[in-house]
Amino acid sequence: MELVENSPLDTGKIASLISTRDDMFLVWPIAKWPFDHRQWAEALDPGKGNVSFIIREGGKPVGHAALLNKGVPDTCMVSFLYLLPEYRSQGLGRRMVAALEDYAIHTFGAKRLRLVVRDYNSRALKCYLHCGFKETGRDGTLITMEKDLQEGIAGGQPAGAGDAL
Ligand SMILES: CC(C)(COP(=O)(O)OP(=O)(O)OC[C@H]1O[C@@H](n2cnc3c(N)ncnc32)[C@H](O)[C@@H]1OP(=O)(O)O)[C@@H](O)C(=O)NCCC(=O)NCCS
């Protein structure tokens, strides 16, 4: 599994992965359908410190993920996680989150990751719990989760090593 920066941002690469309305709803419930390139370009604007990644497995693009800068000190938002259906439920999601942690620590010096997940998305919720995220808030179906990177190990490096960068 490889995280490849989608830079310069090419929303066409994301559109070619998310091919059904149901999948789009899981990734981003308020996203327009069909895929709206402007909406995605705004949400992933690299000028605001956001990074979009294409997930590759065996050299083939199989998914997407993003780290967003929401202006919260030391905190990166993990967002827009997506794997093609045939690559799900095999532990790839956990490896993808571990790679995102590693990137966030070493590139941004992040001390915390945050994400949101819907309570009906059991597979994603289970994946995030396995990765060490803990629920910090709930609003209707929306669950906010966080992981303190100082407590764990990411990418084989002591957490917090990014402080030195
Ligand atoms: C969310 C996603 C990135 C997770 O990646 P993944 O590779 O499927 O996750 P993992 O295999 O690491 O972990 C999923 C866990 O949920 C379990 N699972 C699978 N289907 C499930 C279901 N219907 N209900 C509950 N758990 C389920 C898996 O068995 C696995 O647990 P295990 O390791 O104990 O067996 C991926 O499933 C995906 O792209 N889903 C569609 C888009 C989406 O939901 N994005 C997230 C928006 S917040």
Side-chain angles (χ1 to χ4, degrees):
M1 196 281 316
E2 204 189 349
L3 281 187
V4 182
E5 283 183 34
N6 180 12
S7 176
L9 181 64
D10 181 354
T11 54
K13 289 183 180 168
I14 308 168
S16 67
L17 288 162
I18 307 175
S19 59
T20 69
R21 184 192 285 263
D22 285 351
D23 271 4
M24 179 67 95
F25 184 76
L26 285 175
V27 180
W28 193 10
I30 61 156
K32 293 177 188 158
W33 186 262
F35 192 100
D36 183 312
H37 291 269
R38 185 184 295 185
Q39 185 185 29
W40 279 83
E42 277 174 20
L44 292 169
D45 183 359
K48 294 182 179 161
N50 305 319
V51 187
S52 158
F53 301 93
I54 299 300
I55 311 305
R56 299 179 75 91
E57 178 76 344
K60 179 179 179 283
V62 300
H64 177 266
L67 288 172
L68 305 183
N69 172 15
K70 294 286 187 183
V72 182
D74 300 327
T75 303
C76 277
M77 188 93 187
V78 176
S79 203
F80 305 124
L81 264 57
Y82 179 78
L83 290 173
L84 293 173
E86 60 270 33
Y87 286 87
R88 294 176 197 161
S89 300
Q90 300 160 40
L92 191 55
R94 275 191 252 181
R95 287 161 54 209
M96 174 165 74
V97 172
L100 290 166
E101 280 179 37
D102 190 54
Y103 187 101
I105 291 170
H106 294 103
T107 306
F108 296 127
K111 295 190 172 62
R112 195 175 309 102
L113 293 183
R114 182 175 295 170
L115 58 79
V116 292
V117 58
R118 298 282 166 177
D119 63 1
Y120 50 76
N121 195 347
S122 316
R123 180 170 40 207
L125 191 52
K126 195 166 176 188
C127 173
Y128 303 148
L129 288 168
H130 273 317
C131 291
F133 282 83
K134 293 191 170 59
E135 180 174 334
T136 56
R138 204 178 265 251
D139 181 8
T141 60
L142 194 69
I143 301 172
T144 302
M145 304 182 89
E146 287 188 359
K147 179 170 181 177
D148 188 340
L149 300 177
Q150 291 171 295
E151 285 176 2
I153 303 288
Q157 297 279 341
D163 293 350
L165 298 176

